[in-house]
Short mmCIF file of all heavy atoms in Angstrom, two decimals:
data_model
loop_
_atom_site.label_atom_id
_atom_site.label_comp_id
_atom_site.label_asym_id
_atom_site.label_seq_id
_atom_site.Cartn_x
_atom_site.Cartn_y
_atom_site.Cartn_z
N LYS A 49 -76.87 -20.63 3.39
CA LYS A 49 -75.86 -21.64 3.07
C LYS A 49 -76.06 -22.89 3.91
O LYS A 49 -75.99 -24.02 3.40
CB LYS A 49 -74.47 -21.06 3.30
CG LYS A 49 -73.34 -21.98 2.86
CD LYS A 49 -72.00 -21.30 3.05
CE LYS A 49 -70.87 -22.22 2.60
NZ LYS A 49 -69.55 -21.57 2.78
N GLN A 50 -76.32 -22.70 5.20
CA GLN A 50 -76.55 -23.83 6.08
C GLN A 50 -77.81 -24.59 5.68
O GLN A 50 -77.84 -25.84 5.70
CB GLN A 50 -76.66 -23.36 7.54
CG GLN A 50 -75.33 -22.87 8.10
CD GLN A 50 -75.48 -22.33 9.51
OE1 GLN A 50 -76.60 -22.28 10.06
NE2 GLN A 50 -74.36 -21.90 10.10
N GLN A 51 -78.84 -23.88 5.31
CA GLN A 51 -80.07 -24.53 4.87
C GLN A 51 -79.83 -25.35 3.60
O GLN A 51 -80.33 -26.47 3.46
CB GLN A 51 -81.16 -23.48 4.63
CG GLN A 51 -81.71 -22.85 5.89
CD GLN A 51 -82.75 -21.79 5.61
OE1 GLN A 51 -82.99 -21.44 4.44
NE2 GLN A 51 -83.37 -21.27 6.66
N LYS A 52 -79.07 -24.79 2.68
CA LYS A 52 -78.76 -25.51 1.44
C LYS A 52 -77.96 -26.77 1.74
O LYS A 52 -78.23 -27.85 1.19
CB LYS A 52 -77.97 -24.61 0.49
CG LYS A 52 -77.69 -25.24 -0.88
CD LYS A 52 -76.97 -24.27 -1.78
CE LYS A 52 -76.73 -24.87 -3.17
NZ LYS A 52 -75.92 -26.11 -3.11
N LEU A 53 -76.94 -26.66 2.60
CA LEU A 53 -76.14 -27.82 2.97
C LEU A 53 -77.00 -28.88 3.65
O LEU A 53 -76.84 -30.08 3.41
CB LEU A 53 -74.98 -27.41 3.89
CG LEU A 53 -73.89 -26.54 3.25
CD1 LEU A 53 -72.89 -26.09 4.32
CD2 LEU A 53 -73.15 -27.32 2.16
N ARG A 54 -77.92 -28.43 4.50
CA ARG A 54 -78.81 -29.36 5.19
C ARG A 54 -79.72 -30.08 4.20
O ARG A 54 -79.93 -31.29 4.30
CB ARG A 54 -79.63 -28.61 6.24
CG ARG A 54 -80.35 -29.53 7.22
CD ARG A 54 -81.14 -28.76 8.24
NE ARG A 54 -80.28 -27.90 9.06
CZ ARG A 54 -80.25 -26.59 9.01
NH1 ARG A 54 -81.04 -25.93 8.15
NH2 ARG A 54 -79.44 -25.89 9.78
N ARG A 55 -80.25 -29.33 3.23
CA ARG A 55 -81.12 -29.96 2.22
C ARG A 55 -80.34 -30.95 1.36
O ARG A 55 -80.84 -32.05 1.07
CB ARG A 55 -81.75 -28.87 1.33
CG ARG A 55 -82.84 -28.06 2.01
CD ARG A 55 -83.65 -27.28 0.97
NE ARG A 55 -82.80 -26.34 0.22
CZ ARG A 55 -82.59 -25.09 0.57
NH1 ARG A 55 -83.15 -24.60 1.69
NH2 ARG A 55 -81.82 -24.29 -0.16
N ASP A 56 -79.10 -30.57 0.99
CA ASP A 56 -78.28 -31.49 0.19
C ASP A 56 -77.97 -32.76 0.98
O ASP A 56 -78.01 -33.87 0.42
CB ASP A 56 -76.97 -30.80 -0.22
CG ASP A 56 -77.21 -29.66 -1.20
OD1 ASP A 56 -78.29 -29.63 -1.81
OD2 ASP A 56 -76.31 -28.79 -1.33
N ALA A 57 -77.66 -32.58 2.26
CA ALA A 57 -77.36 -33.76 3.09
C ALA A 57 -78.58 -34.65 3.24
O ALA A 57 -78.49 -35.89 3.19
CB ALA A 57 -76.85 -33.32 4.47
N GLU A 58 -79.74 -34.03 3.40
CA GLU A 58 -80.97 -34.83 3.52
C GLU A 58 -81.29 -35.57 2.23
O GLU A 58 -81.69 -36.74 2.24
CB GLU A 58 -82.14 -33.91 3.92
CG GLU A 58 -82.04 -33.39 5.35
CD GLU A 58 -83.14 -32.39 5.67
OE1 GLU A 58 -83.91 -32.05 4.71
OE2 GLU A 58 -83.24 -31.95 6.82
N ARG A 59 -81.09 -34.88 1.09
CA ARG A 59 -81.34 -35.54 -0.20
C ARG A 59 -80.35 -36.69 -0.42
O ARG A 59 -80.73 -37.75 -0.90
CB ARG A 59 -81.24 -34.51 -1.33
CG ARG A 59 -82.46 -33.63 -1.49
CD ARG A 59 -82.47 -32.95 -2.86
NE ARG A 59 -81.35 -32.04 -3.01
CZ ARG A 59 -81.40 -30.75 -2.73
NH1 ARG A 59 -82.52 -30.20 -2.26
NH2 ARG A 59 -80.34 -29.98 -2.91
N PHE A 60 -79.09 -36.45 -0.07
CA PHE A 60 -78.08 -37.51 -0.23
C PHE A 60 -78.40 -38.71 0.65
O PHE A 60 -78.33 -39.86 0.20
CB PHE A 60 -76.70 -36.96 0.12
CG PHE A 60 -75.60 -37.97 0.04
CD1 PHE A 60 -75.08 -38.35 -1.19
CD2 PHE A 60 -75.10 -38.56 1.19
CE1 PHE A 60 -74.07 -39.28 -1.27
CE2 PHE A 60 -74.08 -39.50 1.12
CZ PHE A 60 -73.56 -39.85 -0.12
N LYS A 61 -78.80 -38.44 1.90
CA LYS A 61 -79.14 -39.54 2.82
C LYS A 61 -80.37 -40.29 2.32
O LYS A 61 -80.42 -41.53 2.36
CB LYS A 61 -79.39 -38.99 4.22
CG LYS A 61 -79.64 -40.06 5.27
CD LYS A 61 -79.81 -39.44 6.63
CE LYS A 61 -80.01 -40.52 7.69
NZ LYS A 61 -81.16 -41.40 7.41
N GLU A 62 -81.35 -39.54 1.83
CA GLU A 62 -82.54 -40.19 1.30
C GLU A 62 -82.21 -41.05 0.08
O GLU A 62 -82.72 -42.16 -0.07
CB GLU A 62 -83.57 -39.12 0.93
CG GLU A 62 -84.90 -39.68 0.45
CD GLU A 62 -85.89 -38.58 0.09
OE1 GLU A 62 -85.54 -37.40 0.29
OE2 GLU A 62 -86.99 -38.91 -0.38
N ASP A 63 -81.33 -40.52 -0.78
CA ASP A 63 -80.93 -41.28 -1.97
C ASP A 63 -80.17 -42.54 -1.58
O ASP A 63 -80.40 -43.62 -2.15
CB ASP A 63 -80.05 -40.40 -2.86
CG ASP A 63 -79.56 -41.14 -4.08
OD1 ASP A 63 -80.38 -41.49 -4.95
OD2 ASP A 63 -78.33 -41.38 -4.18
N GLN A 64 -79.27 -42.42 -0.59
CA GLN A 64 -78.51 -43.60 -0.16
C GLN A 64 -79.40 -44.63 0.52
O GLN A 64 -79.23 -45.84 0.33
CB GLN A 64 -77.38 -43.17 0.80
CG GLN A 64 -76.30 -42.33 0.14
CD GLN A 64 -75.58 -43.06 -0.96
OE1 GLN A 64 -75.20 -44.21 -0.81
NE2 GLN A 64 -75.38 -42.39 -2.09
N ASP A 65 -80.36 -44.15 1.33
CA ASP A 65 -81.27 -45.07 2.00
C ASP A 65 -82.18 -45.80 1.02
O ASP A 65 -82.61 -46.93 1.28
CB ASP A 65 -82.13 -44.32 3.03
CG ASP A 65 -81.29 -43.80 4.19
OD1 ASP A 65 -80.18 -44.33 4.39
OD2 ASP A 65 -81.74 -42.86 4.88
N ASN A 66 -82.46 -45.16 -0.10
CA ASN A 66 -83.36 -45.77 -1.09
C ASN A 66 -82.65 -46.78 -1.99
O ASN A 66 -83.29 -47.52 -2.73
CB ASN A 66 -83.99 -44.66 -1.96
CG ASN A 66 -85.14 -45.20 -2.79
OD1 ASN A 66 -85.98 -45.95 -2.29
ND2 ASN A 66 -85.19 -44.82 -4.06
N ARG A 67 -81.32 -46.82 -1.94
CA ARG A 67 -80.56 -47.74 -2.79
C ARG A 67 -80.55 -49.14 -2.20
O ARG A 67 -80.66 -49.32 -0.98
CB ARG A 67 -79.13 -47.23 -2.99
CG ARG A 67 -79.06 -45.94 -3.79
CD ARG A 67 -77.65 -45.39 -3.82
NE ARG A 67 -77.60 -44.15 -4.60
CZ ARG A 67 -76.89 -43.97 -5.69
NH1 ARG A 67 -76.13 -44.96 -6.15
NH2 ARG A 67 -76.90 -42.83 -6.35
N GLY A 68 -80.37 -50.13 -3.09
CA GLY A 68 -80.29 -51.52 -2.66
C GLY A 68 -79.17 -52.24 -3.38
O GLY A 68 -78.86 -51.94 -4.54
N ILE A 69 -78.56 -53.19 -2.70
CA ILE A 69 -77.41 -53.92 -3.24
C ILE A 69 -77.72 -55.41 -3.25
O ILE A 69 -78.24 -55.96 -2.27
CB ILE A 69 -76.14 -53.65 -2.41
CG1 ILE A 69 -75.79 -52.16 -2.49
CG2 ILE A 69 -74.97 -54.49 -2.89
CD1 ILE A 69 -74.61 -51.77 -1.62
N ILE A 70 -77.39 -56.06 -4.37
CA ILE A 70 -77.50 -57.51 -4.47
C ILE A 70 -76.10 -58.10 -4.53
O ILE A 70 -75.15 -57.45 -5.00
CB ILE A 70 -78.31 -57.95 -5.70
CG1 ILE A 70 -77.63 -57.49 -7.00
CG2 ILE A 70 -79.73 -57.42 -5.62
CD1 ILE A 70 -78.28 -58.03 -8.26
N TYR A 71 -75.98 -59.33 -4.04
CA TYR A 71 -74.68 -60.01 -4.02
C TYR A 71 -74.76 -61.23 -4.93
O TYR A 71 -75.64 -62.08 -4.80
CB TYR A 71 -74.34 -60.44 -2.60
CG TYR A 71 -73.10 -61.30 -2.51
CD1 TYR A 71 -71.86 -60.78 -2.83
CD2 TYR A 71 -73.19 -62.63 -2.10
CE1 TYR A 71 -70.72 -61.56 -2.75
CE2 TYR A 71 -72.06 -63.42 -2.01
CZ TYR A 71 -70.82 -62.89 -2.34
OH TYR A 71 -69.70 -63.67 -2.26
N ILE A 72 -73.82 -61.30 -5.88
CA ILE A 72 -73.70 -62.45 -6.78
C ILE A 72 -72.58 -63.32 -6.23
O ILE A 72 -71.40 -62.95 -6.32
CB ILE A 72 -73.40 -61.99 -8.22
CG1 ILE A 72 -74.44 -60.99 -8.70
CG2 ILE A 72 -73.34 -63.19 -9.16
CD1 ILE A 72 -74.12 -60.38 -10.06
N SER A 73 -72.95 -64.47 -5.66
CA SER A 73 -71.95 -65.30 -5.00
C SER A 73 -71.01 -65.98 -5.99
O SER A 73 -69.88 -66.34 -5.63
CB SER A 73 -72.62 -66.36 -4.13
OG SER A 73 -73.42 -67.22 -4.92
N LYS A 74 -71.48 -66.17 -7.23
CA LYS A 74 -70.62 -66.78 -8.25
C LYS A 74 -70.94 -66.15 -9.60
O LYS A 74 -72.01 -66.38 -10.16
CB LYS A 74 -70.81 -68.29 -8.30
CG LYS A 74 -69.79 -68.98 -9.21
CD LYS A 74 -69.92 -70.49 -9.15
CE LYS A 74 -68.87 -71.16 -10.04
NZ LYS A 74 -68.99 -72.63 -10.04
N VAL A 75 -70.01 -65.37 -10.10
CA VAL A 75 -70.19 -64.72 -11.40
C VAL A 75 -69.99 -65.78 -12.49
O VAL A 75 -69.08 -66.61 -12.39
CB VAL A 75 -69.19 -63.57 -11.57
CG1 VAL A 75 -69.35 -62.90 -12.93
CG2 VAL A 75 -69.36 -62.55 -10.46
N PRO A 76 -70.83 -65.79 -13.54
CA PRO A 76 -70.62 -66.74 -14.64
C PRO A 76 -69.19 -66.65 -15.17
O PRO A 76 -68.61 -65.56 -15.25
CB PRO A 76 -71.64 -66.27 -15.69
CG PRO A 76 -72.72 -65.64 -14.90
CD PRO A 76 -72.05 -64.99 -13.73
N PRO A 77 -68.60 -67.78 -15.52
CA PRO A 77 -67.18 -67.80 -15.93
C PRO A 77 -66.88 -66.82 -17.06
O PRO A 77 -67.56 -66.82 -18.08
CB PRO A 77 -66.97 -69.25 -16.38
CG PRO A 77 -68.04 -70.03 -15.68
CD PRO A 77 -69.21 -69.12 -15.56
N PHE A 78 -65.88 -65.97 -16.83
CA PHE A 78 -65.35 -65.03 -17.82
C PHE A 78 -66.38 -64.00 -18.28
O PHE A 78 -66.22 -63.39 -19.33
CB PHE A 78 -64.79 -65.78 -19.03
CG PHE A 78 -63.82 -66.86 -18.65
CD1 PHE A 78 -64.16 -68.20 -18.78
CD2 PHE A 78 -62.58 -66.54 -18.13
CE1 PHE A 78 -63.27 -69.20 -18.41
CE2 PHE A 78 -61.68 -67.53 -17.77
CZ PHE A 78 -62.04 -68.86 -17.92
N MET A 79 -67.43 -63.79 -17.46
CA MET A 79 -68.39 -62.72 -17.77
C MET A 79 -67.81 -61.40 -17.29
O MET A 79 -67.40 -61.27 -16.14
CB MET A 79 -69.74 -62.99 -17.10
CG MET A 79 -70.77 -61.89 -17.39
SD MET A 79 -72.40 -62.20 -16.65
CE MET A 79 -73.05 -63.42 -17.79
N LYS A 80 -67.79 -60.41 -18.15
CA LYS A 80 -67.19 -59.12 -17.85
C LYS A 80 -68.16 -58.23 -17.08
O LYS A 80 -69.38 -58.43 -17.14
CB LYS A 80 -66.75 -58.43 -19.14
CG LYS A 80 -65.65 -59.16 -19.89
CD LYS A 80 -65.27 -58.40 -21.14
CE LYS A 80 -64.16 -59.11 -21.91
NZ LYS A 80 -63.77 -58.37 -23.13
N PRO A 81 -67.65 -57.22 -16.37
CA PRO A 81 -68.53 -56.29 -15.65
C PRO A 81 -69.51 -55.57 -16.58
O PRO A 81 -70.64 -55.28 -16.18
CB PRO A 81 -67.56 -55.30 -15.00
CG PRO A 81 -66.28 -56.05 -14.89
CD PRO A 81 -66.23 -56.97 -16.06
N GLU A 82 -69.09 -55.29 -17.82
CA GLU A 82 -69.99 -54.62 -18.77
C GLU A 82 -71.21 -55.50 -19.08
O GLU A 82 -72.34 -55.00 -19.18
CB GLU A 82 -69.25 -54.29 -20.07
CG GLU A 82 -68.14 -53.27 -19.93
CD GLU A 82 -66.85 -53.87 -19.38
OE1 GLU A 82 -66.82 -55.11 -19.20
OE2 GLU A 82 -65.90 -53.11 -19.13
N LYS A 83 -70.98 -56.81 -19.18
CA LYS A 83 -72.09 -57.73 -19.47
C LYS A 83 -73.03 -57.83 -18.26
O LYS A 83 -74.26 -57.85 -18.42
CB LYS A 83 -71.53 -59.12 -19.80
CG LYS A 83 -72.57 -60.15 -20.18
CD LYS A 83 -73.25 -59.82 -21.49
CE LYS A 83 -74.24 -60.91 -21.92
NZ LYS A 83 -73.56 -62.18 -22.27
N VAL A 84 -72.46 -57.85 -17.07
CA VAL A 84 -73.29 -57.87 -15.85
C VAL A 84 -74.14 -56.61 -15.78
O VAL A 84 -75.34 -56.66 -15.47
CB VAL A 84 -72.41 -58.03 -14.60
CG1 VAL A 84 -73.25 -57.94 -13.33
CG2 VAL A 84 -71.64 -59.34 -14.63
N ARG A 85 -73.55 -55.46 -16.05
CA ARG A 85 -74.30 -54.20 -16.02
C ARG A 85 -75.41 -54.21 -17.07
O ARG A 85 -76.53 -53.75 -16.80
CB ARG A 85 -73.35 -53.02 -16.26
CG ARG A 85 -74.04 -51.65 -16.29
CD ARG A 85 -73.03 -50.54 -16.52
NE ARG A 85 -72.16 -50.37 -15.39
CZ ARG A 85 -72.48 -49.63 -14.31
NH1 ARG A 85 -73.66 -49.02 -14.24
NH2 ARG A 85 -71.62 -49.51 -13.33
N TYR A 86 -75.11 -54.73 -18.25
CA TYR A 86 -76.11 -54.78 -19.32
C TYR A 86 -77.31 -55.64 -18.91
O TYR A 86 -78.47 -55.25 -19.11
CB TYR A 86 -75.48 -55.33 -20.60
CG TYR A 86 -76.47 -55.61 -21.70
CD1 TYR A 86 -77.04 -54.56 -22.43
CD2 TYR A 86 -76.85 -56.92 -21.99
CE1 TYR A 86 -77.97 -54.83 -23.44
CE2 TYR A 86 -77.77 -57.19 -22.99
CZ TYR A 86 -78.32 -56.14 -23.71
OH TYR A 86 -79.25 -56.39 -24.70
N ILE A 87 -77.03 -56.79 -18.30
CA ILE A 87 -78.12 -57.69 -17.90
C ILE A 87 -78.94 -57.07 -16.78
O ILE A 87 -80.18 -57.07 -16.82
CB ILE A 87 -77.55 -59.05 -17.47
CG1 ILE A 87 -76.92 -59.76 -18.68
CG2 ILE A 87 -78.65 -59.93 -16.88
CD1 ILE A 87 -76.19 -61.04 -18.33
N MET A 88 -78.27 -56.52 -15.77
CA MET A 88 -78.98 -55.97 -14.62
C MET A 88 -79.71 -54.68 -14.96
O MET A 88 -80.75 -54.37 -14.37
CB MET A 88 -77.99 -55.74 -13.46
CG MET A 88 -77.33 -57.00 -12.95
SD MET A 88 -78.57 -58.20 -12.38
CE MET A 88 -77.55 -59.67 -12.22
#
Side-chain angles (χ1 to χ4, degrees):
K49 186 177 180 180
Q50 291 177 357
Q51 289 178 354
K52 184 177 182 301
L53 292 174
R54 193 180 298 111
R55 287 195 300 269
D56 293 341
E58 290 175 355
R59 282 197 296 267
F60 178 78
K61 184 177 182 303
E62 184 180 357
D63 178 66
Q64 293 298 315
D65 293 340
N66 192 44
R67 293 173 180 241
I69 297 175
I70 62 173
Y71 173 66
I72 305 174
S73 62
K74 188 175 181 182
V75 179
F78 308 109
M79 180 178 283
K80 296 181 180 180
E82 294 80 5
K83 183 67 177 293
V84 175
R85 179 179 291 276
Y86 172 75
I87 294 173
M88 297 302 168

